């Protein structure tokens, strides 16, 4: 028969020794593998295990709650990672589009607005959103300055070009067909003057004038 | 073959000292999710006598511990089912002792062997062995009685 005291001292360490993962291979003859067993669970898990051992039902509820929290945390972390990837792609697209715009701007303008190639890339890819926004605004401002100032100049130049082309056209046309060009020639003449009204004695105005003269006389 | 029902993981209530984190690191107490997985993996684990499989388990390669326990030559039976009682949170087990070991059955029936002690690898969720013992490491791990079927014992402690 086995001595209960021997069993008591042998059973628990034996169980603990078997619980140690590396104990069989690393320290088969270790008297107490419990000390050699590395803590493989977190402090929270250990406390939860100890609490659950004394309060099994509440411990299970608590464990389920913690598991839910962990699932939510993992889900949130995954979503954040996805959004980060999307944001990175969006930034790259914006950066490429802005670089396309820069090709239409003169070097003086890009230098003036601090949006030359090297600057723009670093600013758009900056982790600080404010810097990226500011860079985009400066590109827009540079585009406005370039394209909006170019529009009036073009419209002013247009009549000159039109006149020049018209003159050239008329000269060539005169050579081809003088009769048709003569039709287009204008002669400056004063606007026709309306003939003065010839008021006779019997007119109403004359009668009114006379009546007034008679009254003031 | 006779079937026995018992508890292999109870609570530390009553006059027993409450466990601490160190007991969790040693594997004496486990978190509820691990306990559930241990129950799920219990079927097929060998029933041993006073942790007789531990030396073989110590020598086994990682991942082959249960097979080493099964093959160690002094197996006294096998676990048929294990689950956690819904009402108490205790882990229950039904195990069978082969007809070829009538003396073991007699000792259990006579309450000479009346406790259970389960072994697992810390960090793993597989039950390596379920040992018949006279001095369990965990409190409240008693062999309740002989049962006619697994269903009968499950009815007593519904999961």
């Amino acid at each position: 028969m086995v001595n209960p005291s021997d069993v008591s001292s042998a059973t628990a360490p034996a169980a603990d020794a078997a619980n140690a993962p590396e104990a069989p291979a690393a320290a088969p003859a270790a008297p107490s593998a419990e000390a050699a067993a590395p803590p493989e669970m977190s402090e929270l898990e250990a406390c939860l295990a100890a609490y659950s051992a004394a309060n099994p039902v509440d411990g299970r509820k608590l464990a389920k709650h913690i598991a839910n929290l962990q699932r939510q945390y993992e889900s949130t972390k995954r979503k954040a990672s996805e959004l980060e990837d999307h944001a990175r792609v969006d930034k790259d697209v914006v950066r490429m589009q802005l670089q396309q715009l820069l090709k239409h701007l003169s070097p003086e303008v890009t230098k003036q607005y601090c949006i030359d190639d090297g600057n723009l890339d670093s600013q758009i890819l900056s982790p600080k959103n404010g810097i990226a926004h500011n860079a985009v605004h400066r590109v827009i401002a540079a585009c406005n300055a370039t394209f909006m100032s170019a529009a009036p100049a073009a419209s002013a130049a247009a009549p000159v070009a039109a006149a020049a082309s018209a003159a050239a056209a008329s000269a060539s046309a005169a050579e081809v067909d003088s009769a048709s060009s003569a039709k287009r020639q204008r002669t400056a003449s004063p606007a026709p003057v309306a003939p003065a009204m010839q008021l006779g004695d019997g007119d109403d105005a004359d009668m009114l004038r006379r009546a007034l003269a008679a009254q003031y006389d | 073959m006779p079937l026995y029902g018992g508890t292999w993981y109870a609570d530390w209530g009553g006059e027993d000292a409450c466990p601490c984190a160190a007991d969790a690191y040693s594997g004496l107490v486990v978190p509820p999710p691990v306990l559930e997985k241990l129950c799920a993996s219990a079927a097929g684990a060998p029933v041993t006598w006073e942790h007789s499989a531990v030396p073989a388990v110590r020598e086994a390669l990682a991942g082959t511990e249960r097979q080493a326990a099964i093959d160690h030559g002094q197996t006294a039976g096998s676990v048929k089912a294990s689950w956690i009682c819904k009402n108490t949170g205790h882990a229950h087990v039904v195990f069978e002792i082969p007809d070829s070991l009538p003396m073991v059955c007699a000792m259990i029936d006579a309450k000479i062997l009346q406790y259970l002690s389960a072994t697992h690898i810390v960090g793993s969720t597989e039950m390596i062995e379920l040992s018949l013992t006279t001095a369990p490491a965990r409190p409240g791990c008693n062999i309740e009685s002989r049962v006619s079927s697994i269903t009968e014992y499950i009815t007593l402690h519904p999961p």
Side-chain angles (χ1 to χ4, degrees):
Chain A
M1 189 65 192
V2 180
N3 186 351
S5 61
D6 292 342
V7 171
S8 176
S9 61
T11 303
D16 295 339
N19 289 337
E22 276 81 26
S32 173
E34 183 179 333
E40 294 202 358
M41 59 175 65
S42 68
E43 192 178 353
L44 175 65
E45 287 175 320
C47 293
L48 176 64
Y51 176 78
S52 303
N55 307 277
V57 177
D58 289 343
R60 289 179 72 188
K61 290 178 185 172
L62 188 59
K64 282 182 182 174
H65 188 60
I66 291 174
N68 278 335
L69 288 177
Q70 283 177 330
R71 273 195 293 273
Q72 287 176 6
Y73 171 70
E74 292 297 329
S75 170
T76 305
K77 204 164 68 170
R78 198 164 47 245
K79 284 178 184 172
S81 174
E82 285 176 6
L83 288 175
E84 198 174 338
D85 288 344
H86 292 167
R88 193 177 301 118
V89 171
D90 288 348
K91 265 192 172 181
D92 282 343
V93 169
V94 168
R95 183 171 57 86
M96 290 164 63
Q97 296 296 325
L98 293 180
Q99 280 177 341
Q100 293 293 325
L101 280 175
L102 287 188
K103 291 179 181 174
H104 299 282
L105 301 178
S106 65
E108 292 77 17
V109 172
T110 56
K111 189 176 178 183
Q112 181 184 357
Y113 286 89
C114 295
I115 50 172
D116 45 29
D117 276 348
N119 279 338
L120 190 66
D121 278 357
S122 61
Q123 290 168 7
I124 293 294
L125 298 177
S126 168
K128 297 179 179 176
N129 284 337
I131 291 178
H133 287 170
N134 188 264
V136 172
H137 288 160
R138 275 185 280 113
V139 171
I140 293 171
C143 289
N144 280 339
T146 300
F147 301 135
M148 298 304 285
S149 65
S155 61
V160 176
S165 61
S170 63
S172 61
E175 292 173 359
V176 174
D177 187 1
S178 60
S180 61
S181 65
K183 286 182 182 175
R184 288 191 212 101
Q185 286 177 351
R186 290 180 181 277
T187 54
S189 58
V193 178
M197 291 185 68
Q198 302 295 323
L199 298 174
D201 289 344
D203 288 338
D204 290 341
D206 189 44
M207 289 175 67
L208 178 61
R209 195 179 302 119
R210 284 179 195 168
L212 290 173
Q215 190 171 358
Y216 287 107
D217 280 346
Chain B
M1 286 189 281
L3 293 173
Y4 291 89
T7 306
W8 70 267
Y9 194 95
D11 60 64
W12 264 248
E15 61 271 12
D16 298 305
C18 281
C20 59
D23 295 324
Y25 291 133
S26 69
L28 199 59
V29 295
V30 294
V34 175
L35 185 63
E36 289 178 6
K37 289 176 182 172
L38 285 173
C39 285
S41 71
V47 175
T48 61
W49 167 274
E50 297 290 2
H51 294 288
S52 59
V54 167
V57 169
R58 282 181 172 176
E59 297 294 332
L61 297 174
T64 63
E65 291 89 352
R66 177 186 276 198
Q67 194 57 47
I70 293 172
D71 296 339
H72 87 289
Q74 298 176 40
T75 303
S78 65
V79 175
K80 305 306 288 182
S82 179
W83 66 94
I84 296 174
C85 176
K86 176 180 65 179
N87 299 322
T88 62
H90 298 177
H92 293 274
V93 65
V94 172
F95 59 93
E96 70 176 5
I97 304 294
D99 294 329
S100 57
L101 300 172
M103 290 304 293
V104 175
C105 295
M107 290 177 77
I108 294 173
D109 293 336
K111 300 291 182 186
I112 296 172
L113 279 175
Q114 53 179 329
Y115 301 113
L116 294 172
S117 180
T119 302
H120 76 287
I121 306 291
V122 174
S124 136
T125 54
E126 184 182 42
M127 183 184 286
I128 301 298
E129 63 159 4
L130 181 71
S131 183
L132 307 172
T133 181
T134 55
R138 303 182 181 100
C141 298
N142 307 315
I143 301 173
E144 283 190 36
S145 61
R146 190 184 286 225
V147 295
S148 60
S149 68
I150 298 172
T151 310
E152 176 196 343
Y153 193 58
I154 286 179
T155 308
L156 295 174
H157 306 282

